[in-house]
């Protein structure tokens, strides 16, 4: 008889849950609550998938969670988010306001709000995609395997979270099952990110991976073509140089791309030196 046979687990629900966890099943929810009675009774059509740009959504964006936000609601929720943080004067205030916000469904399934790590006020700020399972547990960005690689990469240009590096994400809550953030979620949380950048006031921004790059540069161009070149964004009237580069999770899967990432890192180091020199 096999090990997870009914008898032992019916006597020990905890051991069954542990078995699920050990097997990698760490969610017992779907993105949206489903009213099966309603569906059976009316077979109602689903709301249209929201699309903040009125252009075809990227194929990788999930439709399931987008259905949680009817089209007209997404703009309204984003406007509420913007209004909530518009008067924040410090990063602590901003963190508090984000923790109060209930407009993004991801917050309900996340166990922690992941705001930032590192030195606030550093001249270099990194933006990743969204917290993963370990970040959700610890409440800090990039603490899992890709975070370890990230630390090594930036150590190579003499940057560390303990001294001179500040890190955040496009979203402060983990998407269930580590799926990609939807356009609607990115749109709703964008006012938080913009305020975060405004208050952290870095001299240089690094966007880690396609989600951060396409969201902040408002571009449909992939990371392979965006990386390695300087871009600019305007935040609260200030122009900030931006370097998109590969996400460390991608580098772990495709180690042959590390040479390009190293070239981006050297570029970032040189830009910071140049800006530091022009201060004097
Ligand atoms: N990947 C991200 O993009 N951000 C994190 O915080 C962790 C993994």
């Amino acid at each position: 008889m096999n090990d997870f046979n009914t008898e032992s687990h019916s006597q020990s629900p905890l051991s069954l849950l542990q078995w699920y966890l050990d097997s990698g099943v760490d969610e017992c929810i779907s993105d949206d609550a489903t009213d099966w009675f309603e569906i059976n009774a009316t077979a109602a059509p689903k709301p249209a998938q929201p699309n903040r740009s009125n252009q075809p959504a990227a194929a990788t964006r999930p439709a399931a969670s987008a259905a949680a936000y009817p089209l007209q609601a997404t703009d309204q929720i984003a406007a509420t988010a913007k209004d909530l943080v518009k008067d924040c004067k410090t990063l602590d205030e901003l963190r508090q306001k984000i923790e109060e916000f209930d407009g993004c469904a991801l917050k309900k399934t996340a166990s922690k709000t992941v705001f930032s790590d590192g030195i606030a006020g550093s001249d270099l700020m990194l933006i990743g995609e969204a917290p993963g399972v370990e970040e959700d547990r610890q409440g800090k960005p990039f603490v899992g395997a890709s975070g370890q690689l990230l630390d090594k990469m930036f150590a190579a240009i003499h940057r560390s979270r303990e001294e001179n590096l500040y890190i955040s994400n496009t979203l402060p809550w983990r998407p269930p099952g580590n799926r990609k953030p939807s356009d609607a979620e990115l749109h709703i949380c964008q006012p938080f990110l913009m305020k975060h950048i405004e208050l952290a006031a870095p001299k240089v921004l690094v966007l880690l991976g396609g989600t951060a790059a396409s969201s902040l540069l408002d571009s449909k161009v992939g990371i392979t073509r965006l990386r390695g070149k300087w871009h600019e964004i305007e935040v609260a009237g200030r122009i900030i140089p931006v370097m998109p580069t590969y996400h460390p999770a991608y580098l772990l899967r495709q180690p042959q791309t590390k040479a390009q990432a190293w070239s981006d890192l050297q570029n970032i180091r040189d830009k910071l030196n140049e800006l530091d020199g022009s201060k004097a």
Side-chain angles (χ1 to χ4, degrees):
M1 212 180 304
N2 73 29
D3 217 18
F4 30 90
N5 142 325
T6 44
E7 175 128 24
S8 56
H9 286 301
S10 64
Q11 285 164 11
S12 174
L14 269 182
S15 79
L16 179 59
L17 283 176
Q18 188 60 51
W19 179 77
Y20 278 133
L21 270 178
D22 293 345
S23 316
V25 181
D26 62 354
E27 303 291 337
C28 55
I29 40 100
S30 65
D31 293 345
D32 311 305
T34 302
D35 183 344
W36 295 105
F37 296 106
E38 178 69 17
I39 284 174
N40 288 340
T42 62
K46 290 200 169 171
Q49 181 177 344
N51 180 345
R52 64 195 158 110
S53 61
N54 286 332
Q55 289 174 18
T60 47
R61 299 274 173 250
S65 67
Y69 305 102
L71 182 56
Q72 67 281 16
T74 313
D75 280 341
Q76 264 168 32
I77 303 170
T80 309
K82 191 171 178 183
D83 201 50
L84 182 71
V85 299
K86 73 176 189 315
D87 296 327
C88 288
K89 297 279 180 287
T90 66
L91 290 166
D92 278 345
E93 263 179 69
L94 176 64
R95 178 202 292 261
Q96 244 174 42
K97 292 287 180 194
I98 295 174
E99 282 171 353
E100 277 169 26
F101 182 69
D102 281 326
C104 180
L106 293 179
K107 186 181 172 193
K108 296 191 183 80
T109 53
S111 52
K112 292 210 169 71
T113 299
V114 177
F115 185 70
S116 70
D117 196 20
I119 305 294
S122 162
D123 54 358
L124 179 58
M125 179 172 185
L126 317 183
I127 312 282
E129 182 175 297
V133 67
E134 204 44 49
E135 288 76 20
D136 182 65
R137 262 186 212 131
Q138 296 189 32
K140 279 189 191 173
F142 284 102
V143 290
S146 56
Q148 284 168 21
L149 176 58
L150 188 75
D151 288 344
K152 281 192 197 144
M153 287 163 62
F154 280 87
I157 58 163
H158 310 292
R159 294 275 164 170
S160 72
R161 342 183 169 209
E162 291 75 31
E163 279 182 80
N164 48 18
L165 190 58
Y166 188 61
I167 310 178
S168 190
N169 278 310
T170 55
L171 295 181
W173 299 290
R174 179 192 180 216
N178 291 350
R179 64 160 170 75
K180 276 204 167 295
S182 69
D183 279 345
E185 289 153 358
L186 291 168
H187 183 44
I188 287 168
C189 294
Q190 185 143 31
F192 299 152
L193 181 58
M194 297 315 278
K195 196 61 170 183
H196 203 153
I197 298 169
E198 179 189 332
L199 293 173
K203 285 187 184 161
V204 168
L205 259 183
V206 174
L207 307 179
L208 301 164
T211 299
S214 59
S215 161
L216 272 164
L217 299 175
D218 199 18
S219 167
K220 300 246 175 247
V221 175
I223 187 66
T224 313
R225 285 180 50 211
L226 289 174
R227 62 145 288 279
K229 298 176 209 94
W230 287 101
H231 302 252
E232 287 180 339
I233 59 167
E234 189 182 329
V235 181
R238 207 165 68 86
I239 304 287
I240 307 179
V242 176
M243 174 62 76
T245 189
Y246 291 125
H247 193 285
Y250 180 74
L251 296 174
L252 286 172
R253 290 195 305 273
Q254 305 286 338
Q256 75 281 7
T257 52
K258 282 186 183 169
Q260 290 172 304
W262 172 233
S263 152
D264 296 347
L265 281 168
Q266 289 172 300
N267 230 321
I268 294 160
R269 178 198 58 199
D270 293 349
K271 173 67 89 181
L272 285 161
N273 286 342
E274 180 194 314
L275 292 173
D276 206 34
S278 66
K279 199 175 53 181

